Amino acid sequence: MGRLDGKVALITGIASGIGRAAAMLFTAEGAQVFGVDRDEPTGQALAAALQADGRSFHFFAADLANESACVQVVEQCCAVYGRIDVLYNNAGIALIEPFGSTDAAMLERVMAVNFKSVFYLCQQAIPQMQRQGSGVVINTASELAIVAQPLYTAYCASKGAVLSLTRALALEYAKDNIRINALCPGPIATPMLQSEFDQADDPAQAKAEGIATMPIGRLGDPVEIAQVALFLASDAPALMHGAALVVDGGKTIF
């Protein structure tokens, strides 16, 4: 018996990193996963691999920066599986830019993917959960929703918005037996983080400096975040509503 047997999980950003690890872990634990990403070739390859292993996984290609795509994602998930027990808003992008040169297009893109997609997907999925009588929402914020970092102003703002949204929704829908919590990862060894290091003049030095902020002396692994998401998606944390689970190897207390 898996911890998610019989549950349908909609997970965004499944092509790499934490989302990919979550898709693999959730299906291993018995969930039927509806995975979403804008990287269609990689998403289709993951679907083929998981289906060949006998797991239930359906891939849907979408750019979640668009509200209409978010609406379609929820509609298609319900068309394929008939319900949504877990919504895991994992998709996100990083923006490294001085505040003074962050233009309107940059701000709109990071807010659209990191915050607006979470807002719209919740807005579409929560009514389905209400009809079912239960549901779980996991919103990916960040340790940078709690602490700040130079050159990440727009990113910090987008993740802070996710955290505030999570708390507000948790209060509004607790009475409907819907648990809504935020997951706040620290530096995790993902392609997105590596691309951030690669933008530095000395990528190796940038990575070393990033690791130096971690009391555990290393970056986190995507599966370590997926394991916490699995806990949130399971029936175990029944009393957890509106929490911000910081999983950062101690960085924010260092």
Side-chain angles (χ1 to χ4, degrees):
M1 292 290 290
R3 283 174 281 183
L4 299 182
D5 275 351
K7 295 185 184 295
V8 173
L10 193 169
I11 307 176
T12 66
I14 54 81
S16 64
I18 296 167
R20 182 182 181 89
M24 297 175 70
L25 182 60
F26 280 33
T27 53
E29 289 287 341
Q32 301 175 87
V33 172
F34 188 90
V36 182
D37 203 284
R38 63 178 178 170
D39 183 347
E40 186 166 3
T42 304
Q44 293 288 11
L46 177 61
L50 290 175
Q51 290 164 7
D53 195 38
R55 306 189 199 185
S56 180
F57 180 87
H58 182 91
F59 174 70
F60 186 78
D63 184 345
L64 298 173
N66 303 306
E67 179 185 2
S68 59
C70 295
V71 173
Q72 190 177 19
V73 161
V74 172
E75 289 177 347
Q76 288 299 308
C77 182
C78 291
V80 172
Y81 289 122
R83 60 187 294 118
I84 302 174
D85 298 292
V86 179
L87 169 62
Y88 183 7
N89 285 308
N90 166 75
I93 59 173
L95 176 66
I96 308 172
E97 189 72 26
F99 175 68
S101 57
T102 301
D103 62 27
M106 293 176 184
L107 179 61
E108 174 56 31
R109 179 66 183 175
V110 76
M111 291 300 292
V113 177
N114 291 359
F115 172 68
K116 291 183 180 180
S117 72
V118 176
F119 186 101
Y120 293 133
L121 286 168
C122 285
Q123 198 170 51
Q124 295 300 312
I126 287 174
Q128 174 64 35
M129 294 176 176
Q130 287 178 300
R131 289 189 289 272
Q132 296 166 188
S134 66
V136 172
V137 177
I138 306 165
N139 292 330
T140 297
S142 169
E143 41 116 7
L144 294 185
I146 298 166
V147 298
Q149 188 167 317
L151 305 181
Y152 283 78
T153 308
Y155 182 83
C156 289
S158 70
K159 293 302 188 177
V162 170
L163 186 52
S164 289
L165 173 68
T166 300
R167 289 167 171 162
L169 292 178
L171 289 177
E172 190 163 349
Y173 293 102
K175 64 183 183 301
D176 294 311
N177 195 30
I178 299 173
R179 286 188 287 109
I180 305 173
N181 294 288
L183 186 50
C184 302
I188 307 300
T190 64
M192 187 172 85
L193 181 59
Q194 185 58 50
S195 72
E196 295 174 39
F197 294 146
D198 290 342
Q199 292 179 47
D201 293 335
D202 186 339
Q205 181 182 348
K207 183 173 182 178
E209 290 173 353
I211 292 172
T213 69
M214 303 286 285
I216 61 174
R218 63 173 177 84
L219 300 175
D221 188 278
V223 75
E224 293 175 307
I225 303 300
Q227 289 282 3
V228 180
L230 173 62
F231 166 72
L232 289 173
S234 74
D235 295 331
L239 202 60
M240 191 174 289
H241 290 257
L245 238 58
V246 180
V247 189
D248 68 346
K251 182 188 174 189
T252 57
I253 59 170
F254 186 32

